Structure formats: C-alpha cells, structure tokens
C-alpha cells in the first residue's frame, strides 16, 4: 500500500504530540519529528559511513576476494 501524506500525518499524529518529541523538534528548529530523525539523528552521511563499514566487515570476514560485494 502506498501511503499519502495525509495517511502518514494521521499515523504519527499522537507521536508528534508527545512532549519529549515536541521538545526535540523545537530544540533543532525543525518542523516535525521526521526531520529530526533524518537530518539530526541519522543523517545521510552517517548512514553511508555505517554501510561502508558493514560492507567492508562482511567482505573481509565472510567473502573471498572474488565474491565481495
């Protein structure tokens, strides 16, 4: 199922109302909790670095040089 913007807003409505989550949003000068998670807590650069480290670990530990990912 594809979710519309309105579907997502309804699903997360109660979560967004949580005082701790409201504080996270305000502290970071953002509009919503999704922005906090995507821009502050788990930014793209950090995710890419973690993926590269995991890929290197899997290659070095479990795969031969001709089967690496």
């Amino acid at each position: 199922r594809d979710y519309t913007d309105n579907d997502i807003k309804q699903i997360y409505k109660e979560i967004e109302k949580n005082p701790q989550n409201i504080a996270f949003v305000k502290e970071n000068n953002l509009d919503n909790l999704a922005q906090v998670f995507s821009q502050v807590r788990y930014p793209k650069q950090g995710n890419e670095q973690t993926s590269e480290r995991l890929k290197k670990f899997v290659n070095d530990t479990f795969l031969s040089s001709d089967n690496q990912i």
Side-chain angles (χ1 to χ4, degrees):
R1 170 181 178 197
D2 288 332
Y3 293 94
T4 66
D5 287 342
N6 193 49
D7 291 335
I8 294 168
K9 286 177 184 175
Q10 289 300 317
I11 292 167
Y12 286 95
K13 188 176 183 178
E14 294 303 314
I15 295 169
E16 292 278 354
K17 287 182 181 180
N18 179 301
Q20 187 175 22
N21 293 338
I22 291 170
F24 287 145
V25 172
K26 285 183 181 178
E27 287 170 15
N28 291 286
N29 297 315
L30 296 170
D31 296 323
N32 57 54
L33 198 55
Q35 291 175 338
V36 172
F37 280 93
S38 64
Q39 296 175 25
V40 179
R41 284 194 154 181
Y42 307 106
K44 182 179 180 178
Q45 182 181 8
N47 288 331
E48 289 174 345
Q49 289 172 347
T50 300
S51 294
E52 285 301 315
R53 282 190 226 125
L54 178 59
K55 186 169 101 175
K56 182 179 182 337
F57 172 77
V58 169
N59 283 333
D60 294 349
T61 306
F62 300 107
L63 301 176
S64 63
S65 61
D66 57 330
N67 290 329
Q68 293 191 353
I69 53 176

